[in-house]
Structure formats: C-alpha cells, structure tokens
Amino acid sequence: MITGELKSKLGRVWDAFWSGGVSNPLEVTEQITYLLFIKRLDEIQTRKDNQADRTGKPDPSPFFTADQQDLRWQNFKVRDPDVMYGIVEQGVFPHLRSMGGDDSTYSSHVRDARFTIPNSNLLAKVVDLLDSISMESSDTKADIYEYLLAKIATAGQNGQFHTPRHIVDLMVEMTQPKPDDEVCDPACGTAGFLVQTASYVKREHANALLDVEQQAHFNASMFHGFDFDSTMLRIGSMNMLLHGIENPDIRYRDSLAESAAGESERYSLILSNPPFAGSLDYEYTAADLLRVVKTKKTELLFLALSLRLLKPGGRAAVIVPDGVLFGSTKAHKELRRILVEDHKLDGVVKLPSGVFKPYAGVSTAILLFTRTDSGGTEDVWFYDVQADGFSLNDKRNPLLPEGRLGVRPEAGALSEAEHAKNNLPDTLSRWFDRDDSERNRARTEQSFCVPKSDIVAQGYDLSLNRYAKRPRYLTAGSRVTMADLLDAGLLTEGTQLAFEHAGVSYSARVKAGGRLELAGGQKFPSPNRAAAAAVGEAAIDGWRAWALEDGTTLDQLRQQFLDTPAVGIPSPDATDLANHGLGTSPDFDAALQPVTVQRNRATRHTETTEGPRQIQSGNEPARDEDEDAPVVGLTVGDLPSARGGVVYVSPSATFDEALTRMVINDYSQLPVLSGRKLSGAVTWKSIARARHANHNPPFSRAIVQAREVSYSQDLIDILPMLAEFEFVLVRSQSNEIAGIVTASDVAAAYGAMATPFFLIGELDQRLRRVLASSVEFPEVQGLCDPEGNRSIEGFDDLSIGDYQRVLENKEAWERVGWSLDRKIFIERLDEIRQIRNDLMHFNPEPLPENSTHKIRHMINVLREYGN
C-alpha cells in the first residue's frame, strides 16, 4: 500500500514533469521507468562487485566497464545538474541502447530508449526524489509503479492498457495459479495480470519457491506476455522487474497477425483483458485463427487465440465485451458453441459498466473456461457483480475503507451492507461452491448455475440476463416507484442523475412526482423509459443505469427502500415472494380445478434487462406498476393466456365431459391432469381419430402428448413448435401448468403489435403524396432543413415531423387547399408523431387504447381530403 509520504513525493515529481512541459502520462511513466532501470542496473552491479570481491573472481559480464563508471547512478547523481544532464543524455542512454545485444528481456526493450527530459533542473529533481526512496523493498518499488500506472489510467490516455487491480486480483484468485503453471497474457500491456499472478504464487506457494528448480522456473520461464506497443513492453517489463521477477518472457508479438503455431498448446493458464474496440482485415489476421472462427472482430479472435495457446487441461479467465455473450453473427455463435460443446465453459461473471471508468463505460464480463478438446460443460455458473467497492462514475471513489475493499478484505467477512458496496469477496466464495450449493440457488439470486441444455436451447446465448429472473420490487403489492424514493427521502427533487452508454454520457434531473427530465426537457415517469429515450434503444435497465454523483444507482436506492423497516411487508406470502422472484398469480390451488377459470390482470412474475413489451388484450385493465419493465421482445409469459390458468380434465374423464368443457368454453384442446401431474391433452382431432378407429374407445385413446414450454422462453423460439402442434402448455416459475398458448394467441399478439406499424406506414405514404402534389420540393427542403445540415434529397427522406413542419407554414397549408382548421389538424398530427416515436423506440408502456383509432381516423381524413 502506498504511503502518504511516498505518494506525496511521486505527486511532486509528476507535477514537476507537467510544469516542465512533459504532460503525456505515458512519456512521464516511460522516463521514470528508464531512470528506475538505470538505478536497478547500478544496484545489481553493486551486488556483482561484492560477489567478485568475496570470491576473487572477476565479473564476466559487467554492466559497466572500468571506463564507464561515471554512467552508474551512484556516481552521476552527485554531479552538478548540468553535468549530470550531459552524462545521462550523451552517455547513459546511448549505453542503454547498446545493451540490446544481451539476451535479457529488459535489454531488448531499451534498444530504442529515448531521453526526453527537457532540462537539467527537472532531471536533478527526479533523480533526487527517486534516490531518497528506499528501493530495497520490492513492495515499495511495486507501489511506485502502481501509482504510475494509475496515473496513466486516470489521465484518460491509453486507458485500455490498465485493468483495475482489484478486478485483476479477482481473476487471479478465481484461477488459483500454481507454481508449475506457465502463465500467458497475449495482450499484456503493463503486465498487470502477470504481476498479480506472481504475487499470488509468492503468497500461496512460498514453500514451493524454496526449491531451486521452482525458483528458476518462476524467474525465467513461468511468465509470458506479448504486445505490439514498444512503450507498453518497456513499462510492463519494468513492472515485472520491480515485482521481483528477474527475467520474464515479455516480448514484441502481434498476437492476432502472427501464426500461433510456435506458441500453440504451450500455456496452462491465460489471464487477459485484450483490446476489443476494433476489427482486422482478413489478410492481416493469422490463418490459423481464422480456421477457428472467421471474423474480423478482435475480441473474438483473442478468444480463439486463447484456446490455441492453452494446453489441454489449461484454464483461462478473459475479459470480453457484453456483445461476445449474445452477438448474433455466425462467428459469435460458433465461438460460443465451441466453448460450450468442444471445451468446458466454467463461468460467466458480469461486471458493472463503470468498472473501466473514467476512460471507458463499456459493459463487460469475465469468461472462465478450460480447454479440454472433448467437451465437459455441464452447468455454467453466472454471477452478477453489481458493485466492486468503488463508485461507478468517473471519479471511482472508494465506497469502503481500504481494508474492506478488494477480493480478500481484512478483519473478516463483509456485512450485508458492505457486500452491497463490494461484491468481489462473495463472487470468489461462491465461485468455489459452484459445483455444490450454487447449483441449488434460484435464478433470482445474484449467482446461479444454468444447465448446458438450457444454454443450447437459447442458441448458446451467454448473457446473464437471458437466464436471470429479476424480482419485481414490490411493496404492499405495488411496484416501487421513483415517487416512493422521493417520499422516503432517498431522493430529492432536483437531484442530478447520470450514466454512460457506448462511450456517451447522459444526464437527467429528478422532478416532482418522481419524473425524470432529460437534458433536452423531455420528462418520463420511470427510469427505464427515460434511459431508453436518451439512448434510443429499448433494452436499457434505467434502474441500474441512472446513478447519483457518488455512483449509487437507483436500483441500490430501491433496495434500500425495500430494506427499510418502516416500509413494511404486509403480505409476505405474496409481496415478499415476488421480491424473491416467486409469484402467487395465478392461484394454482384454485386454478387447477375442473371448472372454467377467470383470468386475472396479467402480471409479470419477473423482469429482466431484456424483458419484453407487456401485451394486453382488449378486456384487461391498463397496466400500472409494470409499465417500467425493460423491453426487447416477447416471451411466452407475455401472452395473457400463458398465465390465465387452465380448464382441464382428468385421465378418468369421459368423452362427454371433455366435449362439454370444450364446447361451452369454445376450446379446441384441453390439458389432461392427474392432480398436478400432466398426462397429456385431448383435442378435437385426437377425439375424432380415437372414435374413428374404434366406435367405443376408452377415453385414454384420445389422449395425445402435450408439449410444454417455460413462461420465460422467447415467444419467437416456440413458433415452429406451435406450427407443428398448434398449442403448448406453459409452466410457471414454480413449475406449475399456468396456462395454454395457441397459434391464434400468438397471431393476436403479433397482430396487435404490428397493426400500428402498418397504419403509420400508410399514413406516412398518404401525407407524402399530399405534399408532393401540392408543394414544390425546394420549399419543403427549406422548411424542414433551413440550416442545410441534413441530407434531404427527396420526399422519401421526410419524416412525420417534417410533414408537420411543412403544414405549420401558412403558405404551404393554403397550397394544400384543405378546408380544415390548420391548428387543430397540426395538434392531432403531433399526437400521432408522438405515438410513432413510442412505437419506433419500443416504449415499454402499451399504447393508449385510442391510439390505433386516431391513426385510422387520420388515414380516413386523408382519404377524403387528400385525393
């Protein structure tokens, strides 16, 4: 841990560089690295000299010859600043470059060393500062380097090279490096993963390192790092030296462009956070990687490379962007299939999006896998890290005392309140239980296991939200709202919120009633809707995105609200169950009776960050609490019939009983249940076939197999099954038969969604024809784009907002020639424009019931007046 005094000294030298005109953090770090290396050479030479004096044998390969003694740190540091500057510039650095013929890792990285300290006063300050720091302790040297690397990161330049130390520690601890491992980082940057691996091995396997052969392996053949940035190689190499590894294999290598044949199956452990912001042309990508997966995306290529580098039985922990987990390209799917089917995918750890701030806000995950070449995936362990001990904003302030941060906090286990701010110790603990108690945890928990069969059924999708079941956050039977947080004093009106998505920052302010106002003035009733509108995407979990200045998310405030005793839980059998991902609707004890079951208001048992738009039938009340559910596509459970209960018959029923229930309910099929056990179903077709084969058959002859699906399955995935079998029975989260879905239910659902899109399309075409026949295009162009900032080249480039702008112009309106009130017409057109925006952004709140009617009627008006 860096002390206040040491930090103060380093801060002064950093400021001295800045005021001296050297402001690039990489350059500052590089120059300090050279000086530390020079100091280290002198220390090593001093030890060699002492050994030569003791043994009487001269040093066979001294760093400094007899006529080069003035180049040693201990000698030039006492010289006048101007003289010192000349010695370092004209003597020391040329000497460093001439050492490139040596076989050591370090010499290969100083061949092109440049001295860029601009003046003698700055050099004297830096030399004096470094000389005043005792370098005997490797911890002190390491602390200096940690400080410098943190400076690179927080300066916002080349931040991709610096993975936060506590995340590196988590990955190292999860993979448990052994002293006989060969560890590789194919995109090593500053060598953070290798350094922390070395620290782990020294701590956990100290006795093993007493062995001479093991010590030699540790110093010369255990650690391997590649990079194609020479500056990073110098910094990484020095980082290893300062952490006590004498000769690591840190070398120049374009990992994705060079064939991995020479490195294939060489390493037993890979730890890496490879760059994932670009793509490569095929001609510049190693052919052996393209044979694994043909893609231009660097994140996929690095995963393929990791598999190539690992020995059979070797393990890896690699940071990947979220897109790797659910990307739909052929390459994405194939690589995930390879990990699951051909090797052993052990775990997926979802990291919060603020982990790499302030220089990146990307959402990432850690993939943990073992190369087997023969499969082995049974259950994949997932963990949703929601807090890493630091605020998730650009400041990244610690949320706990230093001793309670990181993977292994001091003074025992974290309390529940501390865990809410630092999930890393729990992540590690549960990782080691993944083959035991973790298999029994519900998917509403922060961690859980998913069988391979479920992952295969989801097309090898590895996104945690595909499988997690989120609690509904209920209190007294209603969803927690922003207004609740205001009333509880957890938020105040005027509070500023912010989040970052895909490198762009968004802000909002809390208004009266819990509404959120975006920077442009738009107000929204819920965090999800505000986030979706800000980003222009549907799949945004606003509760977890929007955060206070200290990094506390709205979701964390919501949890605080629920944990407050004053809130109270009056109905633990319903509300509390819902908060844990369980539900009591429908009431199965009542629903599973041989009578027609009344359908209650549709309720979502769970919500996910990729949850669908809620579907309402015409006879259901408008949705209230559930309007905030994040959205993407439909799941089976979104259909009212999937949760409306079932009318059924028993296996001992008669044909008359089954036919009567089907006739009076206008059903085409009935489940056959024995208690709660599903025996199958009867349909008009199965009854007809049974009676055709035998005029007096037993009822059992009419029972056919019934297909079952989970209520959480994507609706689109069961369409082939519906096409073949015409209906499916739906199992709820508690594994009960909760409802039945038919092809007509699906047609109605998709029809309800599609109708407004078709109507908007027709309205758009009719408005375009009206304007094209009435107003000259140059005039339209001038009204829609007076500044000339848009590319409007024809009427086809116009939007409903453009039509509105044109018709708001009095002269253009008169040319259209309608005997209608312009203001009233424009008001209705603006309403339709807002409806259209909700549709295009997949607003999670269902359209008001009269929206479709308004669009239809406007089309009728245009038919009457527009021709």
Side-chain angles (χ1 to χ4, degrees):
M1 180 182 70
I2 190 167
T3 64
E5 180 183 5
L6 179 57
K7 185 175 182 179
S8 176
K9 288 181 178 180
L10 291 171
R12 287 199 299 273
V13 73
W14 195 273
D15 292 340
F17 268 107
W18 189 274
S19 60
V22 184
S23 56
N24 184 328
L26 272 178
E27 184 178 2
V28 174
T29 300
E30 188 178 34
Q31 293 302 301
I32 295 175
T33 295
Y34 288 142
L35 292 175
L36 288 173
F37 182 61
I38 293 165
K39 190 171 189 289
R40 177 66 170 165
L41 285 178
D42 188 36
E43 292 172 348
I44 296 174
Q45 185 63 60
T46 299
R47 286 206 307 269
K48 294 169 74 175
D49 292 344
N50 292 336
Q51 184 177 9
D53 291 341
R54 288 195 307 271
T55 62
K57 297 179 180 179
D59 179 6
S61 55
F63 294 136
F64 306 96
T65 61
D67 59 351
Q68 292 176 328
Q69 294 301 302
D70 59 335
L71 305 184
R72 297 180 64 168
W73 179 279
Q74 60 183 290
N75 295 326
F76 70 67
K77 72 176 183 180
V78 297
R79 306 295 292 271
D80 178 80
D82 289 336
V83 175
M84 181 198 304
Y85 190 86
I87 291 173
V88 172
E89 181 184 35
Q90 299 170 24
V92 175
F93 269 76
H95 179 57
L96 286 182
R97 291 191 288 269
S98 69
M99 294 174 62
D102 185 69
D103 291 334
S104 73
T105 294
Y106 309 105
S107 61
S108 65
H109 300 317
V110 295
R111 290 172 183 164
D112 56 350
R114 297 179 304 111
F115 179 61
T116 61
I117 295 178
N119 57 68
S120 58
N121 288 333
L122 176 56
L123 176 63
K125 286 181 183 179
V126 174
V127 169
D128 184 60
L129 171 67
L130 295 180
D131 192 63
S132 69
I133 298 172
S134 173
M135 304 293 283
E136 292 300 319
S137 168
S138 61
D139 288 340
T140 299
K141 291 180 284 189
D143 287 338
I144 292 174
Y145 228 61
E146 284 296 327
Y147 176 89
L148 296 176
L149 298 183
K151 279 289 189 179
I152 295 176
T154 55
Q157 298 187 26
N158 297 291
Q160 66 270 26
F161 296 111
H162 186 69
T163 308
R165 179 171 173 175
H166 56 288
I167 301 299
V168 173
D169 284 342
L170 173 65
M171 295 167 66
V172 170
E173 296 272 353
M174 293 177 81
T175 54
Q176 295 182 298
K178 301 184 292 292
D180 58 349
D181 271 323
E182 286 204 44
V183 188
C184 179
D185 182 351
C188 66
T190 56
F193 284 101
L194 301 179
V195 163
Q196 293 310 112
T197 299
S199 297
Y200 177 92
V201 171
K202 284 195 280 189
R203 184 187 76 228
E204 298 293 327
H205 302 284
N207 291 334
L209 293 182
L210 297 176
D211 180 81
V212 174
E213 290 185 6
Q214 201 70 69
Q215 185 69 45
H217 172 63
F218 182 85
N219 282 312
S221 58
M222 182 173 184
F223 303 102
H224 308 264
F226 312 140
D227 212 295
F228 56 70
D229 185 294
S230 57
T231 300
M232 286 299 104
L233 288 171
R234 281 191 289 274
I235 293 175
S237 180
M238 181 58 65
N239 196 12
M240 294 291 283
L241 175 66
L242 294 181
H243 281 80
I245 297 92
E246 294 179 2
N247 194 26
D249 175 25
I250 305 292
R251 54 190 153 100
Y252 181 93
R253 177 181 173 83
D254 190 341
S255 294
L256 299 184
E258 298 179 37
S259 171
E263 308 289 333
S264 180
E265 300 186 9
R266 179 178 174 185
Y267 306 105
S268 59
L269 176 60
I270 287 180
L271 294 159
S272 190
N273 177 17
F276 43 75
S279 60
L280 301 178
D281 291 334
Y282 289 137
E283 57 265 33
Y284 298 117
T285 305
D288 51 348
L289 293 184
L290 293 177
R291 282 194 292 271
V292 178
V293 57
K294 188 170 183 180
T295 180
K296 296 180 180 181
K297 291 187 173 294
T298 57
E299 58 266 32
L300 299 182
L301 291 168
F302 267 107
L303 272 180
L305 175 65
S306 296
L307 287 170
R308 288 275 289 158
L309 298 179
L310 282 175
K311 300 176 181 178
R315 60 216 187 276
V318 181
I319 295 177
V320 298
D322 270 3
V324 169
L325 306 180
F326 55 78
S328 59
T329 70
K330 182 178 179 181
H332 280 92
K333 293 179 178 179
E334 176 60 12
L335 191 52
R336 295 196 300 264
R337 188 202 65 78
I338 290 172
L339 286 173
V340 172
E341 297 288 359
D342 300 344
H343 305 284
K344 186 174 184 291
L345 179 61
D346 299 299
V348 179
V349 178
K350 186 179 187 301
L351 299 176
S353 60
V355 161
F356 293 99
K357 285 187 175 182
Y359 45 87
V362 294
S363 295
T364 57
I366 303 169
L367 281 182
L368 298 113
F369 54 92
T370 304
R371 176 174 175 176
T372 66
D373 296 333
S374 58
T377 303
E378 295 181 0
D379 292 87
V380 178
W381 180 79
F382 287 83
Y383 194 103
D384 185 7
V385 177
Q386 299 170 16
D388 70 334
F390 298 82
S391 64
L392 297 174
N393 56 11
D394 286 351
K395 294 182 179 179
R396 294 290 277 152
N397 294 321
L399 303 178
L400 295 170
E402 185 167 356
R404 307 298 278 167
L405 295 173
V407 180
R408 295 190 181 274
E410 300 170 2
L414 298 181
S415 67
E416 188 173 339
E418 289 174 319
H419 164 74
K421 297 177 181 179
N422 177 16
N423 298 167
L424 302 190
D426 187 60
T427 308
L428 184 63
S429 174
R430 295 193 178 281
W431 163 253
F432 292 130
D433 286 337
R434 66 189 183 278
D435 293 328
D436 190 9
S437 59
E438 287 293 289
R439 296 199 176 195
N440 299 321
R441 281 166 67 87
R443 296 188 190 179
T444 54
E445 302 287 350
Q446 197 165 4
S447 64
F448 52 84
C449 290
V450 177
K452 174 188 171 183
S453 58
D454 286 11
I455 291 174
V456 173
Q458 295 295 337
Y460 301 101
D461 192 313
L462 298 179
S463 53
L464 180 142
N465 291 321
R466 172 67 68 181
Y467 307 102
K469 307 296 188 295
R470 295 303 179 207
R472 295 186 66 232
Y473 302 105
L474 304 182
T475 176
S478 299
R479 183 183 294 277
V480 176
T481 66
M482 291 287 291
D484 291 326
L485 302 186
L486 279 173
D487 293 342
L490 295 173
L491 281 177
T492 58
E493 189 176 342
T495 299
Q496 191 75 26
L497 304 173
F499 76 94
E500 186 175 291
H501 178 77
V504 180
S505 297
Y506 302 95
S507 62
R509 190 175 297 276
V510 179
K511 306 298 287 186
R515 295 174 71 83
L516 287 183
E517 183 181 55
L518 298 181
Q522 293 174 285
K523 297 184 181 69
F524 297 89
S526 71
N528 287 338
R529 293 188 60 189
V535 176
E537 297 179 11
I540 297 292
D541 187 341
W543 285 94
R544 294 192 179 195
W546 294 112
L548 305 176
E549 185 176 352
D550 66 358
T552 302
T553 66
L554 292 179
D555 180 63
Q556 291 170 323
L557 291 181
R558 177 167 59 177
Q559 291 292 351
Q560 290 180 35
F561 176 82
L562 287 169
D563 293 339
T564 303
V567 171
I569 304 295
S571 178
D573 58 336
T575 299
D576 192 42
L577 286 175
N579 284 328
H580 291 84
L582 304 176
T584 58
S585 174
D587 183 341
F588 297 109
D589 290 333
L592 295 177
Q593 300 296 327
V595 294
T596 303
V597 179
Q598 180 181 359
R599 294 183 179 178
N600 298 320
R601 182 178 69 84
T603 57
R604 288 297 299 273
H605 292 278
T606 59
E607 65 176 358
T608 74
T609 54
E610 297 182 351
R613 172 192 288 272
Q614 189 80 337
I615 296 296
Q616 284 182 273
S617 62
N619 60 357
E620 289 176 332
R623 208 178 61 179
D624 45 20
E625 299 92 4
D626 289 332
E627 70 176 2
D628 196 35
V631 295
V632 174
L634 292 174
T635 63
V636 173
D638 284 307
L639 302 184
S641 63
R643 301 177 315 279
V646 290
V647 174
Y648 72 97
V649 292
S650 71
S652 60
T654 65
F655 278 101
D656 286 346
E657 181 183 349
L659 289 169
T660 302
R661 293 199 184 282
M662 294 169 71
V663 168
I664 66 173
N665 291 295
D666 192 25
Y667 289 164
S668 298
Q669 57 279 123
L670 287 177
V672 179
L673 296 173
S674 178
R676 296 189 177 187
K677 180 182 177 181
L678 178 65
S679 300
V682 292
T683 69
W684 288 115
K685 185 185 296 184
S686 72
I687 292 173
R689 283 181 173 174
R691 286 189 162 178
H692 179 72
N694 185 336
H695 292 299
N696 189 26
F699 181 69
S700 60
R701 292 290 297 274
I703 299 175
V704 295
Q705 183 181 5
R707 303 290 172 167
E708 306 170 38
V709 298
S710 167
Y711 80 103
S712 62
Q713 236 178 304
D714 281 347
L715 186 56
I716 196 168
D717 291 339
I718 73 162
L719 295 185
M721 193 183 302
L722 279 174
E724 183 176 356
F725 299 101
E726 298 181 349
F727 74 98
V728 293
L729 296 175
V730 182
R731 287 201 177 271
S732 70
Q733 183 173 1
S734 56
N735 207 35
E736 303 282 0
I737 298 296
I740 186 169
V741 169
T742 67
S744 61
D745 292 322
V746 174
Y750 280 116
M753 292 181 66
T755 297
F757 285 92
F758 290 129
L759 293 176
I760 286 289
E762 182 174 349
L763 177 68
D764 181 87
Q765 291 181 19
R766 290 186 176 275
L767 281 170
R768 188 181 304 145
R769 284 201 298 267
V770 167
L771 294 186
S773 63
S774 306
V775 186
E776 294 294 328
F777 178 70
E779 183 179 355
V780 171
Q781 196 174 31
L783 291 171
C784 296
D785 185 24
E787 303 296 328
N789 296 324
R790 295 169 55 194
S791 178
I792 300 178
E793 299 177 354
F795 285 96
D796 287 346
D797 295 325
L798 302 181
S799 65
I800 292 181
D802 291 324
Y803 306 146
Q804 185 176 331
R805 278 184 280 273
V806 173
L807 295 175
E808 282 175 340
N809 180 270
K810 184 178 179 181
E811 290 76 14
W813 176 266
E814 290 175 350
R815 274 193 282 281
V816 170
W818 288 339
S819 56
L820 298 170
D821 184 86
R822 178 165 57 98
K823 181 179 179 182
I824 296 174
F825 184 92
I826 293 299
E827 287 175 354
R828 175 53 56 85
L829 188 58
D830 187 59
E831 289 181 50
I832 293 176
R833 179 187 61 81
Q834 294 180 39
I835 293 171
R836 181 263 181 204
N837 288 344
D838 279 347
L839 281 171
M840 293 302 119
H841 289 98
F842 293 94
N843 192 318
E845 187 176 52
L847 292 174
E849 291 183 5
N850 63 345
S851 296
T852 301
H853 171 74
K854 288 180 179 179
I855 304 172
R856 285 188 190 278
H857 192 68
M858 181 63 95
I859 291 172
N860 290 334
V861 169
L862 293 176
R863 284 171 177 165
E864 182 177 351
Y865 286 86
N867 294 329

